[in-house]
Amino acid sequence: MRKTDGDVQPSSARRRGRPPATDSADTKRAILDSARRLFAERGYGAVTNKDVATAAGITTGALYHYVESKLDLYLEVDRDMQHTIYTRFQDAVGSSNNFLGKLTAVLEASHEMGVEDPSLAGFVGAVRTDTRRHPAVAAQLARYADAREQFFVDIVDVGIATGEIMPLAKPAMVEFVRTVLIGLTETVGMSPEQHRRAIDGVTGLLRGTIFTPLD
């Protein structure tokens, strides 16, 4: 036996077997969903593997058929979350051929996901805190940063191609898109109504329907 992040972890010899395939997918889904909710509520440091196993309705020993450690579990949850969010985002950007249309569609997808499952946004917020507090988490998640960055760049490049964005403004607009999408994805503490108003404010500003410059 050895310990990882405060949890007793069986030796590798005792982790080799896996449950039957008919049960494995459902159990893995329950583990990831339970872990995401717990990490979103408490953060990495306050959650134990026993907590996750209990929430998923399995024993702690059974959990190790699916993950090697709490850090491994956290990374699995992050990969699952990123896949869920960016699959929806990619579908959204395909619905328009211009920058404003793509950005608006992504914001709408963000709102829909927040209503459907608040733990997605909650986990996004928890990750930002956890990467500051836990170097091991930060080191592992850093490898995925480039792919997320490219998503923001691609949206801005469309705006440059359509003439909506001046080429010299590309760096500023990439940061703008990043700030808006990340900020509005992190809806912890916001009601769906507040989030809706925030999206309407951003899109209204971009469309020029709610603000008139004085100079």
Side-chain angles (χ1 to χ4, degrees):
M1 303 286 283
R2 60 191 175 88
K3 291 187 177 182
T4 301
D5 296 315
D7 294 311
V8 176
Q9 179 175 350
S11 66
S12 58
R14 295 184 60 186
R15 287 199 307 272
R16 287 177 183 167
R18 279 191 177 272
T22 52
D23 299 327
S24 181
D26 288 344
T27 302
K28 184 65 175 291
R29 183 73 266 155
I31 291 170
L32 292 177
D33 289 346
S34 298
R36 184 180 64 251
R37 287 191 292 269
L38 289 172
F39 287 133
E41 293 169 4
R42 307 179 194 173
Y44 178 77
V47 175
T48 67
N49 286 341
K50 183 178 180 180
D51 293 333
V52 175
T54 299
I58 61 175
T59 65
T60 306
L63 181 68
Y64 292 110
H65 287 294
Y66 298 90
V67 294
E68 295 288 324
S69 66
K70 186 170 77 170
L71 179 57
D72 180 48
L73 173 59
Y74 193 90
L75 298 177
E76 286 276 356
V77 172
D78 184 76
R79 282 191 289 268
D80 183 65
M81 177 272 295
Q82 296 289 347
H83 175 75
T84 298
I85 290 178
Y86 282 94
T87 295
R88 291 281 289 271
F89 281 180
Q90 291 291 352
D91 289 343
V93 297
S95 66
S96 176
N97 294 320
N98 60 66
F99 167 79
L100 185 53
K102 288 180 182 293
L103 181 58
T104 300
V106 169
L107 293 177
E108 292 296 334
S110 172
H111 180 68
E112 292 167 3
M113 284 187 282
V115 172
E116 294 166 6
D117 187 351
S119 73
L120 284 171
F123 183 72
V124 171
V127 167
R128 294 195 192 99
T129 300
D130 291 334
T131 52
R132 291 192 295 268
R133 293 179 176 175
H134 304 281
V137 171
Q140 290 294 324
L141 295 186
R143 68 182 67 181
Y144 307 115
D146 289 345
R148 294 194 294 270
E149 175 73 13
Q150 192 58 45
F151 180 80
F152 307 139
V153 173
D154 288 345
I155 293 178
V156 173
D157 282 342
V158 169
I160 293 173
T162 60
E164 296 168 277
I165 298 172
M166 295 181 293
L168 290 177
K170 178 175 179 176
M173 287 304 295
V174 168
E175 294 303 325
F176 171 78
V177 172
R178 184 209 319 277
T179 300
V180 168
L181 293 184
I182 290 178
L184 289 179
T185 299
E186 188 178 348
T187 57
V188 181
M190 292 181 71
S191 68
E193 294 75 21
Q194 287 177 303
H195 192 244
R196 175 76 268 163
R197 290 194 293 270
I199 290 175
D200 291 343
V202 171
T203 56
L205 284 171
L206 290 172
R207 294 182 185 280
T209 59
I210 64 173
F211 180 74
T212 302
L214 296 180
D215 51 10

Coordinates of all heavy atoms in Angstrom, one line a residue, residues 110-192:
S110 N -21.9 28.9 -24.3 CA -21.5 28.9 -22.9 C -22.6 29.1 -22.0 O -22.7 28.5 -20.9 CB -20.5 30.1 -22.8 OG -20.2 30.4 -21.4
H111 N -23.6 29.9 -22.4 CA -24.8 30.1 -21.5 C -25.6 28.8 -21.4 O -26.0 28.4 -20.3 CB -25.7 31.2 -22.1 CG -26.9 31.5 -21.3 ND1 -26.9 32.0 -20.1 CD2 -28.2 31.2 -21.6 CE1 -28.1 32.2 -19.6 NE2 -28.9 31.7 -20.5
E112 N -25.8 28.1 -22.5 CA -26.5 26.9 -22.5 C -25.9 25.9 -21.6 O -26.6 25.2 -20.8 CB -26.7 26.4 -23.9 CG -27.6 27.2 -24.8 CD -27.4 26.8 -26.3 OE1 -26.7 25.9 -26.6 OE2 -28.1 27.5 -27.1
M113 N -24.5 25.7 -21.7 CA -23.8 24.8 -20.8 C -23.9 25.1 -19.4 O -24.0 24.2 -18.5 CB -22.4 24.6 -21.3 CG -22.2 23.9 -22.6 SD -20.4 23.6 -23.0 CE -20.0 25.2 -23.6
G114 N -23.9 26.4 -19.1 CA -24.0 26.8 -17.7 C -25.3 26.5 -17.1 O -25.4 26.1 -15.9
V115 N -26.4 26.6 -17.9 CA -27.7 26.2 -17.4 C -27.9 24.7 -17.3 O -28.4 24.2 -16.3 CB -28.8 26.8 -18.4 CG1 -30.2 26.3 -18.0 CG2 -28.8 28.3 -18.4
E116 N -27.3 24.0 -18.3 CA -27.4 22.5 -18.3 C -26.7 21.9 -17.1 O -27.1 20.9 -16.5 CB -27.0 22.0 -19.6 CG -27.8 22.4 -20.8 CD -27.1 22.1 -22.1 OE1 -26.0 21.5 -22.1 OE2 -27.7 22.5 -23.1
D117 N -25.4 22.4 -16.9 CA -24.6 21.7 -15.9 C -23.6 22.8 -15.3 O -22.5 23.0 -15.8 CB -23.8 20.6 -16.5 CG -23.0 19.8 -15.4 OD1 -22.9 20.2 -14.3 OD2 -22.4 18.8 -15.8
P118 N -24.1 23.4 -14.2 CA -23.2 24.5 -13.6 C -21.9 24.0 -13.1 O -20.9 24.8 -13.0 CB -24.1 24.9 -12.4 CG -25.5 24.6 -12.7 CD -25.4 23.3 -13.5
S119 N -21.7 22.7 -12.9 CA -20.4 22.2 -12.5 C -19.3 22.3 -13.5 O -18.1 22.3 -13.2 CB -20.5 20.7 -12.0 OG -20.6 19.8 -13.1
L120 N -19.7 22.4 -14.8 CA -18.7 22.7 -15.8 C -18.0 24.0 -15.6 O -16.7 24.1 -15.5 CB -19.3 22.6 -17.2 CG -19.7 21.3 -17.8 CD1 -20.5 21.4 -19.0 CD2 -18.4 20.4 -18.1
A121 N -18.8 25.0 -15.4 CA -18.2 26.4 -15.2 C -17.5 26.4 -13.8 O -16.5 27.0 -13.6 CB -19.3 27.4 -15.3
G122 N -18.1 25.7 -12.8 CA -17.5 25.6 -11.5 C -16.1 25.0 -11.5 O -15.2 25.5 -10.9
F123 N -16.0 24.0 -12.3 CA -14.7 23.3 -12.4 C -13.7 24.2 -13.1 O -12.5 24.3 -12.7 CB -14.8 22.0 -13.1 CG -13.5 21.2 -13.2 CD1 -13.0 20.6 -12.1 CD2 -12.8 21.1 -14.4 CE1 -11.8 19.9 -12.1 CE2 -11.6 20.4 -14.4 CZ -11.1 19.8 -13.3
V124 N -14.1 24.9 -14.2 CA -13.2 25.9 -14.8 C -12.7 26.9 -13.8 O -11.5 27.2 -13.8 CB -14.0 26.6 -16.0 CG1 -13.1 27.7 -16.5 CG2 -14.3 25.6 -17.1
G125 N -13.5 27.4 -13.0 CA -13.1 28.3 -12.0 C -12.2 27.7 -10.9 O -11.2 28.3 -10.5
A126 N -12.5 26.5 -10.6 CA -11.6 25.8 -9.6 C -10.2 25.5 -10.2 O -9.2 25.6 -9.4 CB -12.3 24.4 -9.2
V127 N -10.2 25.2 -11.4 CA -8.8 25.0 -12.1 C -7.9 26.2 -11.9 O -6.7 26.1 -11.7 CB -9.0 24.6 -13.5 CG1 -7.7 24.6 -14.3 CG2 -9.6 23.2 -13.7
R128 N -8.5 27.4 -12.1 CA -7.7 28.6 -12.0 C -7.1 28.7 -10.6 O -5.9 29.1 -10.5 CB -8.5 29.8 -12.4 CG -8.9 29.7 -13.9 CD -9.4 31.1 -14.4 NE -10.0 30.8 -15.7 CZ -11.3 30.7 -15.9 NH1 -12.1 30.8 -14.9 NH2 -11.8 30.4 -17.1
T129 N -7.9 28.4 -9.6 CA -7.4 28.5 -8.3 C -6.4 27.4 -8.0 O -5.4 27.6 -7.4 CB -8.6 28.4 -7.3 OG1 -9.5 29.5 -7.5 CG2 -8.1 28.5 -5.8
D130 N -6.7 26.2 -8.4 CA -5.9 25.0 -8.1 C -4.5 25.1 -8.8 O -3.5 24.7 -8.2 CB -6.6 23.7 -8.6 CG -7.8 23.4 -7.7 OD1 -7.8 23.8 -6.5 OD2 -8.7 22.7 -8.2
T131 N -4.5 25.7 -10.0 CA -3.2 25.8 -10.6 C -2.2 26.8 -9.9 O -1.0 26.7 -10.0 CB -3.3 26.2 -12.1 OG1 -4.1 27.4 -12.2 CG2 -3.9 25.1 -12.9
R132 N -2.8 27.7 -9.2 CA -2.0 28.7 -8.4 C -1.6 28.0 -7.1 O -0.5 28.3 -6.6 CB -2.8 29.9 -8.1 CG -3.1 30.8 -9.3 CD -3.6 32.2 -8.9 NE -4.9 32.1 -8.3 CZ -6.1 32.2 -8.9 NH1 -6.1 32.4 -10.2 NH2 -7.2 32.2 -8.3
R133 N -2.4 27.1 -6.5 CA -2.1 26.6 -5.2 C -1.3 25.3 -5.3 O -0.6 24.9 -4.4 CB -3.4 26.3 -4.5 CG -4.1 27.5 -4.1 CD -5.4 27.2 -3.4 NE -6.2 28.4 -2.9 CZ -7.4 28.3 -2.4 NH1 -8.0 27.2 -2.2 NH2 -7.9 29.4 -2.0
H134 N -1.4 24.5 -6.4 CA -0.8 23.2 -6.5 C 0.1 23.1 -7.8 O -0.4 22.9 -8.9 CB -1.9 22.2 -6.6 CG -2.8 22.2 -5.4 ND1 -2.5 21.7 -4.2 CD2 -4.1 22.7 -5.3 CE1 -3.5 21.9 -3.4 NE2 -4.5 22.5 -4.0
P135 N 1.4 23.3 -7.6 CA 2.4 23.2 -8.7 C 2.2 22.0 -9.6 O 2.4 22.1 -10.8 CB 3.7 23.3 -8.1 CG 3.5 24.0 -6.8 CD 2.1 23.5 -6.3
A136 N 2.0 20.8 -9.0 CA 1.8 19.6 -9.8 C 0.7 19.7 -10.8 O 0.8 19.2 -11.9 CB 1.7 18.4 -8.9
V137 N -0.4 20.3 -10.3 CA -1.6 20.5 -11.2 C -1.2 21.4 -12.3 O -1.5 21.2 -13.5 CB -2.8 21.0 -10.4 CG1 -3.9 21.4 -11.3 CG2 -3.3 20.0 -9.4
A138 N -0.6 22.6 -12.0 CA -0.2 23.6 -13.0 C 0.7 23.0 -14.0 O 0.6 23.2 -15.2 CB 0.4 24.8 -12.3
A139 N 1.7 22.2 -13.6 CA 2.7 21.6 -14.5 C 2.0 20.7 -15.5 O 2.3 20.7 -16.7 CB 3.8 20.9 -13.8
Q140 N 1.0 19.9 -15.1 CA 0.4 18.9 -15.9 C -0.6 19.6 -16.9 O -0.7 19.2 -18.1 CB -0.4 17.9 -15.1 CG 0.5 16.9 -14.3 CD 1.3 16.0 -15.3 OE1 0.8 15.6 -16.3 NE2 2.6 15.8 -14.9
L141 N -1.3 20.6 -16.4 CA -2.3 21.3 -17.3 C -1.7 22.3 -18.3 O -2.3 22.6 -19.3 CB -3.3 22.0 -16.4 CG -4.2 21.1 -15.5 CD1 -5.3 22.0 -14.9 CD2 -4.9 20.0 -16.3
A142 N -0.4 22.7 -18.0 CA 0.2 23.7 -18.9 C 0.3 23.1 -20.4 O 0.3 23.9 -21.3 CB 1.6 24.0 -18.4
R143 N 0.4 21.8 -20.5 CA 0.6 21.2 -21.8 C -0.6 21.4 -22.8 O -0.4 21.3 -24.0 CB 0.9 19.7 -21.7 CG -0.3 18.9 -21.2 CD 0.1 17.4 -21.0 NE 1.0 17.2 -20.0 CZ 1.5 16.1 -19.6 NH1 1.2 15.0 -20.3 NH2 2.3 15.9 -18.6
Y144 N -1.7 21.7 -22.2 CA -2.9 21.9 -23.0 C -3.2 23.4 -23.4 O -4.2 23.7 -24.1 CB -4.1 21.3 -22.3 CG -4.0 19.9 -21.9 CD1 -3.9 19.5 -20.5 CD2 -3.8 18.9 -22.8 CE1 -3.7 18.2 -20.1 CE2 -3.6 17.6 -22.4 CZ -3.5 17.3 -21.1 OH -3.3 16.0 -20.7
A145 N -2.4 24.3 -22.9 CA -2.7 25.7 -23.1 C -2.6 26.1 -24.5 O -3.4 27.0 -25.0 CB -1.7 26.5 -22.3
D146 N -1.7 25.6 -25.3 CA -1.6 26.0 -26.7 C -2.8 25.7 -27.5 O -3.2 26.6 -28.4 CB -0.3 25.3 -27.4 CG 1.0 25.9 -26.8 OD1 1.0 26.9 -26.1 OD2 2.0 25.2 -27.0
A147 N -3.4 24.6 -27.3 CA -4.6 24.2 -28.1 C -5.8 25.2 -27.8 O -6.5 25.6 -28.7 CB -5.0 22.8 -27.8
R148 N -5.9 25.6 -26.5 CA -7.0 26.5 -26.2 C -6.7 27.9 -26.7 O -7.6 28.6 -27.2 CB -7.1 26.6 -24.7 CG -7.6 25.3 -24.0 CD -8.1 25.5 -22.6 NE -7.0 25.8 -21.7 CZ -6.2 24.9 -21.1 NH1 -6.5 23.6 -21.2 NH2 -5.3 25.3 -20.3
E149 N -5.4 28.3 -26.7 CA -5.0 29.6 -27.2 C -5.3 29.7 -28.7 O -5.8 30.7 -29.2 CB -3.5 29.8 -27.0 CG -2.9 31.0 -27.6 CD -3.3 32.3 -26.9 OE1 -3.8 32.2 -25.8 OE2 -3.1 33.4 -27.5
Q150 N -5.1 28.6 -29.5 CA -5.4 28.6 -30.9 C -6.8 28.8 -31.2 O -7.2 29.4 -32.2 CB -4.9 27.3 -31.5 CG -4.9 27.3 -33.1 CD -3.9 28.4 -33.6 OE1 -2.8 28.6 -33.1 NE2 -4.4 29.2 -34.6
F151 N -7.7 28.4 -30.3 CA -9.1 28.6 -30.5 C -9.5 30.1 -30.6 O -10.2 30.5 -31.4 CB -9.9 27.9 -29.4 CG -11.4 28.1 -29.6 CD1 -12.1 27.3 -30.5 CD2 -12.1 29.0 -28.8 CE1 -13.5 27.4 -30.6 CE2 -13.5 29.1 -28.9 CZ -14.2 28.3 -29.8
F152 N -8.9 30.8 -29.6 CA -9.1 32.3 -29.6 C -8.5 33.0 -30.8 O -9.2 33.8 -31.4 CB -8.5 32.9 -28.4 CG -8.9 32.2 -27.1 CD1 -7.9 32.0 -26.1 CD2 -10.2 31.9 -26.8 CE1 -8.3 31.4 -24.9 CE2 -10.6 31.3 -25.6 CZ -9.6 31.0 -24.7
V153 N -7.3 32.5 -31.2 CA -6.7 33.1 -32.4 C -7.5 32.9 -33.7 O -7.6 33.8 -34.5 CB -5.2 32.5 -32.5 CG1 -4.6 33.0 -33.8 CG2 -4.4 33.0 -31.3
D154 N -8.0 31.7 -33.8 CA -8.8 31.3 -35.0 C -10.0 32.2 -35.2 O -10.3 32.6 -36.3 CB -9.2 29.9 -35.0 CG -8.0 28.9 -35.2 OD1 -6.9 29.4 -35.6 OD2 -8.2 27.7 -34.9
I155 N -10.7 32.5 -34.1 CA -11.9 33.4 -34.2 C -11.5 34.8 -34.6 O -12.1 35.4 -35.5 CB -12.6 33.4 -32.8 CG1 -13.2 32.1 -32.5 CG2 -13.7 34.5 -32.9 CD1 -13.9 32.0 -31.2
V156 N -10.4 35.3 -34.1 CA -9.9 36.6 -34.5 C -9.4 36.7 -35.9 O -9.7 37.6 -36.7 CB -8.8 37.1 -33.5 CG1 -8.2 38.4 -34.0 CG2 -9.3 37.3 -32.1
D157 N -8.8 35.6 -36.4 CA -8.3 35.5 -37.7 C -9.5 35.6 -38.7 O -9.4 36.2 -39.8 CB -7.5 34.3 -38.0 CG -6.1 34.3 -37.4 OD1 -5.6 35.5 -37.2 OD2 -5.5 33.3 -37.2
V158 N -10.6 35.0 -38.4 CA -11.8 35.2 -39.2 C -12.2 36.6 -39.3 O -12.5 37.1 -40.4 CB -12.9 34.3 -38.6 CG1 -14.2 34.6 -39.4 CG2 -12.6 32.8 -38.8
G159 N -12.2 37.3 -38.2 CA -12.6 38.7 -38.2 C -11.6 39.6 -39.0 O -12.1 40.5 -39.7
I160 N -10.3 39.2 -39.0 CA -9.4 39.9 -39.9 C -9.7 39.7 -41.4 O -9.7 40.6 -42.2 CB -8.0 39.5 -39.5 CG1 -7.6 40.1 -38.1 CG2 -7.0 40.1 -40.5 CD1 -6.3 39.6 -37.6
A161 N -10.0 38.4 -41.7 CA -10.3 38.0 -43.1 C -11.5 38.7 -43.6 O -11.6 39.1 -44.8 CB -10.4 36.5 -43.2
T162 N -12.5 38.9 -42.7 CA -13.8 39.5 -43.2 C -13.7 41.0 -43.1 O -14.7 41.7 -43.6 CB -15.0 39.1 -42.3 OG1 -14.7 39.5 -40.9 CG2 -15.2 37.6 -42.4
G163 N -12.7 41.6 -42.6 CA -12.6 43.0 -42.4 C -13.2 43.6 -41.2 O -13.2 44.8 -41.0
E164 N -13.7 42.8 -40.3 CA -14.3 43.3 -39.1 C -13.3 43.7 -38.1 O -13.5 44.6 -37.2 CB -15.1 42.1 -38.4 CG -16.3 41.7 -39.2 CD -16.9 40.4 -38.6 OE1 -16.3 39.3 -39.0 OE2 -17.8 40.4 -37.9
I165 N -12.0 43.2 -38.2 CA -11.0 43.5 -37.2 C -9.7 44.0 -38.0 O -9.3 43.4 -39.0 CB -10.6 42.3 -36.4 CG1 -11.8 41.8 -35.6 CG2 -9.4 42.6 -35.5 CD1 -11.6 40.5 -34.9
M166 N -9.2 45.1 -37.6 CA -7.9 45.6 -38.2 C -6.8 44.7 -37.9 O -6.6 44.2 -36.7 CB -7.6 47.0 -37.7 CG -8.6 48.1 -38.2 SD -8.2 49.7 -37.6 CE -8.3 49.5 -35.8
P167 N -5.9 44.3 -38.8 CA -4.8 43.4 -38.6 C -3.9 43.8 -37.4 O -3.5 43.0 -36.6 CB -4.0 43.4 -39.9 CG -5.1 43.7 -40.9 CD -6.0 44.7 -40.3
L168 N -3.7 45.1 -37.3 CA -2.8 45.6 -36.2 C -3.5 45.4 -34.8 O -2.8 45.4 -33.8 CB -2.5 47.1 -36.3 CG -1.5 47.4 -37.5 CD1 -1.4 48.9 -37.6 CD2 -0.2 46.7 -37.3
A169 N -4.8 45.2 -34.8 CA -5.5 45.0 -33.5 C -5.6 43.5 -33.1 O -6.2 43.2 -32.1 CB -6.9 45.5 -33.6
K170 N -4.9 42.6 -33.9 CA -5.0 41.2 -33.6 C -4.6 40.8 -32.1 O -5.4 40.1 -31.4 CB -4.2 40.4 -34.6 CG -4.3 38.9 -34.3 CD -3.6 38.1 -35.4 CE -3.6 36.6 -35.1 NZ -3.0 35.7 -36.1
P171 N -3.5 41.3 -31.7 CA -3.1 40.9 -30.3 C -4.1 41.3 -29.2 O -4.5 40.6 -28.3 CB -1.7 41.6 -30.1 CG -1.2 41.7 -31.5 CD -2.4 42.0 -32.3
A172 N -4.6 42.6 -29.4 CA -5.6 43.1 -28.4 C -6.9 42.3 -28.5 O -7.5 42.0 -27.5 CB -5.8 44.6 -28.7
M173 N -7.3 41.9 -29.7 CA -8.6 41.2 -29.9 C -8.5 39.8 -29.4 O -9.5 39.2 -28.9 CB -9.0 41.3 -31.3 CG -9.5 42.6 -31.8 SD -10.9 43.3 -30.7 CE -12.2 42.0 -31.1
V174 N -7.3 39.2 -29.6 CA -7.1 37.8 -29.0 C -7.3 37.8 -27.5 O -8.0 37.0 -26.9 CB -5.8 37.2 -29.4 CG1 -5.5 36.0 -28.6 CG2 -5.7 36.9 -30.9
E175 N -6.7 38.9 -26.9 CA -6.9 39.0 -25.4 C -8.3 39.3 -25.0 O -8.8 38.8 -24.0 CB -5.9 40.1 -24.9 CG -4.5 39.7 -25.0 CD -4.1 38.4 -24.3 OE1 -4.7 38.1 -23.2 OE2 -3.3 37.7 -24.8
F176 N -9.0 40.1 -25.9 CA -10.4 40.4 -25.6 C -11.2 39.2 -25.6 O -12.0 38.9 -24.7 CB -10.9 41.4 -26.6 CG -12.4 41.7 -26.6 CD1 -12.9 42.5 -25.6 CD2 -13.2 41.1 -27.5 CE1 -14.3 42.7 -25.5 CE2 -14.6 41.3 -27.4 CZ -15.1 42.1 -26.4
V177 N -11.1 38.4 -26.7 CA -11.9 37.1 -26.8 C -11.6 36.2 -25.7 O -12.5 35.6 -25.1 CB -11.6 36.5 -28.2 CG1 -12.2 35.1 -28.2 CG2 -12.1 37.3 -29.3
R178 N -10.3 36.1 -25.3 CA -9.9 35.2 -24.2 C -10.6 35.6 -22.9 O -11.2 34.8 -22.2 CB -8.4 35.2 -24.0 CG -7.9 34.2 -22.9 CD -6.6 34.7 -22.3 NE -5.7 35.3 -23.2 CZ -4.8 34.6 -23.9 NH1 -4.8 33.3 -23.8 NH2 -4.0 35.2 -24.7
T179 N -10.5 36.9 -22.7 CA -11.1 37.5 -21.4 C -12.6 37.3 -21.4 O -13.2 36.9 -20.3 CB -10.7 39.0 -21.3 OG1 -9.3 39.1 -21.3 CG2 -11.3 39.6 -20.0
V180 N -13.3 37.5 -22.5 CA -14.7 37.4 -22.5 C -15.1 36.0 -22.3 O -16.0 35.6 -21.5 CB -15.3 38.0 -23.8 CG1 -16.7 37.6 -24.0 CG2 -15.1 39.5 -23.8
L181 N -14.5 35.1 -23.1 CA -14.9 33.7 -23.1 C -14.6 33.0 -21.7 O -15.4 32.3 -21.1 CB -14.3 32.9 -24.2 CG -14.8 33.2 -25.6 CD1 -14.1 32.3 -26.6 CD2 -16.3 33.1 -25.7
I182 N -13.4 33.3 -21.2 CA -13.0 32.7 -19.9 C -13.9 33.3 -18.8 O -14.4 32.6 -17.9 CB -11.6 32.9 -19.7 CG1 -10.7 32.0 -20.6 CG2 -11.2 32.5 -18.2 CD1 -9.2 32.1 -20.5
G183 N -14.0 34.6 -18.9 CA -14.8 35.3 -17.8 C -16.2 34.8 -17.8 O -16.8 34.6 -16.7
L184 N -16.9 34.6 -18.9 CA -18.3 34.3 -19.0 C -18.5 32.8 -18.8 O -19.6 32.3 -18.6 CB -18.9 34.8 -20.3 CG -19.1 36.3 -20.3 CD1 -19.8 36.7 -21.6 CD2 -20.0 36.8 -19.2
T185 N -17.4 32.0 -19.0 CA -17.5 30.6 -18.7 C -17.5 30.3 -17.2 O -18.1 29.4 -16.7 CB -16.3 29.8 -19.4 OG1 -16.4 30.0 -20.8 CG2 -16.5 28.3 -19.1
E186 N -16.7 31.2 -16.5 CA -16.6 31.0 -15.0 C -17.8 31.7 -14.4 O -17.8 32.9 -14.0 CB -15.3 31.7 -14.5 CG -15.1 31.4 -13.0 CD -13.8 32.0 -12.6 OE1 -13.0 32.4 -13.4 OE2 -13.6 32.0 -11.3
T187 N -18.9 31.0 -14.3 CA -20.2 31.6 -13.9 C -20.5 31.3 -12.4 O -21.6 31.4 -12.0 CB -21.3 31.0 -14.7 OG1 -21.3 29.6 -14.6 CG2 -21.2 31.4 -16.2
V188 N -19.4 30.8 -11.7 CA -19.7 30.5 -10.3 C -20.2 31.8 -9.6 O -19.7 32.8 -9.6 CB -18.4 30.1 -9.6 CG1 -18.6 29.7 -8.1 CG2 -17.7 28.9 -10.3
G189 N -21.3 31.6 -8.9 CA -21.9 32.7 -8.2 C -22.9 33.5 -9.0 O -23.6 34.4 -8.5
M190 N -22.9 33.3 -10.3 CA -23.8 34.0 -11.2 C -25.1 33.2 -11.4 O -25.0 32.0 -11.7 CB -23.2 34.4 -12.5 CG -22.0 35.4 -12.4 SD -21.4 35.7 -14.1 CE -22.7 36.7 -14.8
S191 N -26.2 33.8 -11.4 CA -27.5 33.2 -11.8 C -27.5 33.1 -13.3 O -26.8 33.9 -14.0 CB -28.7 33.9 -11.2 OG -28.8 35.2 -11.9
P192 N -28.4 32.2 -13.9 CA -28.5 32.2 -15.3 C -29.0 33.6 -15.9 O -28.6 34.0 -17.0 CB -29.6 31.1 -15.5 CG -29.4 30.2 -14.4 CD -29.1 31.1 -13.2

